[in-house]
Amino acid sequence: VAPVTRRRKHWGWGFTDEQPSEAALRGSAAAFAAVLGFGETEPEAAVPLERCTLPAPRLHPPAVLRDCCDGSDHARARHAYGSSYRDVVRGFRGRFDNPPDVVAKPRAEAELERVLEWAIGSGAAVIPYGGGTSVVGGVEPIVDRARFEGVVTIDLCRLDRVLEVDEVSQTARIEAGASGPSLEYQLREHRLTLRHYPQSYTQATLGGMIATRAAGHYATRLTHIDELVQSVRAITPAGAWRSLAAPASGAGVSPDRMLLGSEGTLGLITEAWVRVRPRPSFAAETAVRFPDFLSGAAGMREIVQSGLGPTQCRLLDPGEARLTGAGDGSSAVLMLGFESWAHNVKARLALALECCAGHGGVSDPVESRARKDADSEVGRWRESFIRAPYLRDLLVAMGVIAETFETATTWQRFASLHRSVSEATSAAIDAVCGVGLLSCRITHVYPDGPALYWTVLAPGTRGGELAQWDAIKRAAADAVIAGGAPITHHHAVGRDHRPWYDRERPDPFAAALRAAKAAVDPSGALNPGVLIDPA
Ligand SMILES: Cc1cc2nc3c(=O)[nH]c(=O)nc-3n(C[C@H](O)[C@H](O)[C@H](O)COP(=O)(O)OP(=O)(O)OC[C@H]3O[C@@H](n4cnc5c(N)ncnc54)[C@H](O)[C@@H]3O)c2cc1C
């Protein structure tokens, strides 16, 4: 069933038809509380939409646009937040203080242009919306109410087609609102794939991934969507912005690179040419156990600096391995895998395992991906990875603070950054929650350093959990910046990361970005508050 015909939950992850029954929730809550050592076994129920009061809309679309606009409570509530822990808690509790006034779902680019023209002409702020999986306040309509007459969220979900496939060059022109499953489904008839799987893949859209420079499941080389984008088309208030579809261009500052990571502040991305490939026919993967996280990281460094380029190369610390079922908590576990559509990859996996052995890594027998063995460490970890977004809804109902944060650093600074951020975050968890769990994994890996990804799980105080999480996040983010690392590796900036991003980016660059925005968005209507403040 195409996502557009199913009803998304007005809070939390997934569709209404995926919400488990109360009995199932209670059973899962008891099981998780036993694993965590905290969390309430009697899950709280979400406030139903009928009991939520939304502020009256300040704007109404003109008759010619009414067909593609939705002012219902469900649409406004659904588009009031992204998918961070803060968002889920507020939606769960029925708090919708700043919903958009109008949600537009244009059916074609020309209709999107008409919506944009009306919205800007009405003095509204405009929020581009893909799958709403932002975890940094990227789609939350918090705007200066004195400056803007209202908020129009433009949801691109109806622009979801694969428009052209160039099988010779292995590229495809795809509309920005296509979700991961939708675009993969359409590419399948050409026996091609984008193979870009962020954990949010089932809901995230191509346009959203480009706008946030998403990182997929490729742990090396093709990590960021940047590497898969050939050219981008966007509609700005000043007109269409389209880069040339060519494999490479050395002509000045790249127009498509400028849209990558623009987070809805420069224009609405409507389509892109992306690099696709045949589906892999060869795969080999295994789990490697290391005595500890640092020796596992040393093994990873040797693999990636040797130029081997595994597809899957994720290192879980012992705590994370236990929580995901990939280990028993006594060792760090590396998920290691190679894939190719053209040649056998077992020899490359064998070389990578030699790199691991030199650092105390002990591997399981090599598995072929076709088995998808639910009893293997790799299989259990993959299953837990896919189910994690659903699990978070349950944890919220159990009163558990559950959130992640991430960054990247050089190999030289890795050990000290890992220690300082872990210590600062653990201290904050202890101070505000008393107890809790902090685990870390390396999600992506480069020859010059790893991307680190921490998970926080702690018992919250009902009603006070957002303040608790904010204190933990502040301590973690301060430690990341103090360690000379970026505020995010792939979660983007949005509104939530602004205080740290403003410290990280050079001032002349901020001025250049502000000037570029003023040129294409003179009224500063596009996603105000994200990345930079308009001039
Ligand atoms: C459970 C979970 C797991 C996640 N895992 C990953 C992961 O593995 N890797 C990763 O990189 N991220 C991950 N994220 C973060 C998020 O999924 C990504 O940022 C994703 O790329 C956002 O895509 P979206 O379509 O949902 O965009 P949205 O959330 O709708 O929007 C994100 C930002 O992009 C802008 N935007 C959206 N569409 C357009 C458009 N067409 N034109 C212009 N601007 C637009 C919005 O205004 C907003 O600023 C995860 C999030 C969750 C909740």
Side-chain angles (χ1 to χ4, degrees):
V1 183
V4 80
T5 62
R6 293 172 78 187
R7 198 168 160 93
R8 296 264 301 263
K9 280 161 69 174
H10 72 277
W11 67 278
W13 194 254
F15 299 93
T16 44
D17 57 54
E18 292 176 314
Q19 179 64 10
S21 69
E22 270 180 40
L25 281 177
R26 214 171 283 129
S28 305
F32 277 105
V35 174
L36 297 175
F38 50 80
E40 297 184 22
T41 50
E42 201 52 48
E44 187 182 335
V47 176
L49 186 58
E50 312 77 74
R51 294 220 334 259
C52 301
T53 309
L54 274 63
R58 293 201 290 160
L59 273 178
H60 298 280
V64 284
L65 294 176
R66 233 167 263 156
D67 261 9
C68 74
C69 291
D70 191 344
S72 68
D73 279 358
H74 180 267
R76 294 179 66 217
R78 175 68 244 163
H79 292 80
Y81 297 121
S83 305
S84 69
Y85 170 72
R86 306 187 87 256
D87 297 336
V88 177
V89 170
R90 288 178 292 170
F92 182 81
R93 293 264 158 69
R95 259 184 59 190
F96 294 100
D97 301 337
N98 297 294
D101 298 284
V102 175
V103 176
K105 295 182 182 174
R107 292 159 289 199
E109 192 183 272
E111 195 164 56
L112 181 149
E113 286 175 300
R114 286 197 291 279
V115 171
L116 185 62
E117 195 183 343
W118 160 70
I120 291 185
S122 311
V126 173
I127 304 211
Y129 185 102
T133 65
S134 168
V135 284
V136 291
V139 293
E140 185 173 350
I142 297 186
V143 305
D144 180 351
R145 292 177 70 85
R147 175 168 175 172
F148 295 103
E149 301 294 326
V151 174
V152 178
T153 289
I154 303 185
D155 181 334
L156 282 100
C157 64
R158 283 171 163 163
L159 300 184
D160 70 344
R161 290 167 305 159
V162 172
L163 298 170
E164 270 181 81
V165 175
D166 174 348
E167 293 189 10
V168 177
S169 314
Q170 295 189 347
T171 54
R173 183 158 73 95
I174 303 178
E175 287 184 308
S179 67
S182 166
L183 70 86
E184 286 296 342
Y185 180 77
Q186 295 175 71
L187 287 173
R188 191 165 298 163
E189 72 179 81
H190 302 275
R191 289 198 294 275
L192 291 168
T193 171
L194 180 64
R195 264 189 114 55
H196 180 76
Y197 300 122
Q199 193 180 25
S200 51
Y201 150 88
T202 56
Q203 309 286 342
T205 61
L206 179 63
M209 295 179 208
I210 293 173
T212 58
R213 302 183 61 203
H217 77 301
Y218 279 110
T220 65
R221 294 184 178 160
L222 299 177
T223 300
H224 283 272
I225 191 86
D226 310 30
E227 312 311 324
L228 303 174
V229 168
Q230 193 193 48
S231 78
V232 186
R233 180 176 168 88
I235 299 300
T236 78
W241 172 333
R242 179 181 206 157
S243 60
L244 195 68
S249 164
V253 175
S254 160
D256 48 79
R257 293 269 150 178
M258 196 157 171
L259 288 172
L260 279 155
S262 57
E263 299 193 30
T265 60
L266 297 179
L268 289 119
I269 296 164
T270 53
E271 58 178 65
W273 275 99
V274 292
R275 303 185 170 101
V276 291
R277 69 210 62 249
R279 306 185 69 73
S281 21
F282 299 93
E285 60 188 8
T286 189
V288 188
R289 282 178 299 283
F290 286 90
D292 53 50
F293 194 55
L294 295 189
S295 51
M300 277 180 122
R301 176 161 74 91
E302 195 173 321
I303 292 170
V304 73
Q305 289 183 340
S306 73
L308 277 168
T311 314
Q312 178 67 276
C313 193
R314 285 196 155 100
L315 178 69
L316 320 183
D317 74 7
E320 183 132 338
R322 181 181 79 88
L323 285 175
T324 55
D328 60 8
S330 63
S331 49
V333 181
L334 176 68
M335 302 294 152
L336 184 61
F338 289 80
E339 65 177 40
S340 166
W341 62 272
H343 49 81
N344 200 310
V345 289
K346 281 194 174 162
R348 280 158 67 201
L349 179 58
L351 287 171
L353 290 175
E354 279 179 30
C355 299
C356 295
H359 300 274
V362 178
S363 74
D364 288 344
V366 170
E367 294 171 19
S368 103
R369 176 79 58 76
R371 280 176 56 208
K372 284 204 172 162
D373 190 344
D375 286 333
S376 71
E377 280 133 332
V378 177
R380 277 196 299 274
W381 180 79
R382 189 182 289 122
E383 188 57 28
S384 135
F385 184 74
I386 293 166
R387 286 211 334 244
Y390 295 97
L391 173 62
R392 206 197 23 209
D393 288 3
L394 170 69
L395 292 170
V396 165
M398 292 168 63
V400 173
I401 296 171
E403 188 53 298
T404 61
F405 63 93
E406 32 76 72
T407 187
T409 189
T410 60
W411 288 116
Q412 182 68 254
R413 291 196 291 252
F414 155 67
S416 69
L417 185 87
H418 174 250
R419 190 176 50 249
S420 61
V421 173
S422 300
E423 283 175 4
T425 311
S426 294
I429 294 172
D430 288 350
V432 297
C433 300
V435 291
L437 298 172
L438 179 70
S439 61
C440 186
R441 68 175 182 257
I442 293 177
T443 55
H444 301 86
V445 62
Y446 305 89
D448 46 344
L452 293 162
Y453 185 102
W454 283 267
T455 299
V456 175
L457 295 167
T461 309
R462 291 236 196 261
E465 58 272 84
L466 290 187
Q468 288 174 299
W469 165 246
D470 287 347
I472 297 167
K473 170 72 181 179
R474 218 169 17 250
D478 285 348
V480 164
I481 295 289
I487 188 57
T488 176
H489 169 261
H490 59 261
H491 279 171
V493 174
R495 293 177 173 79
D496 298 354
H497 278 157
R498 274 296 302 281
W500 297 279
Y501 176 66
D502 287 4
R503 281 155 63 189
E504 176 184 329
R505 51 123 181 82
D507 287 342
F509 175 73
L513 199 54
R514 216 172 281 124
K517 182 171 172 65
V520 294
D521 178 24
S523 65
L526 289 179
N527 224 356
V530 167
L531 284 183
I532 41 162
D533 293 322

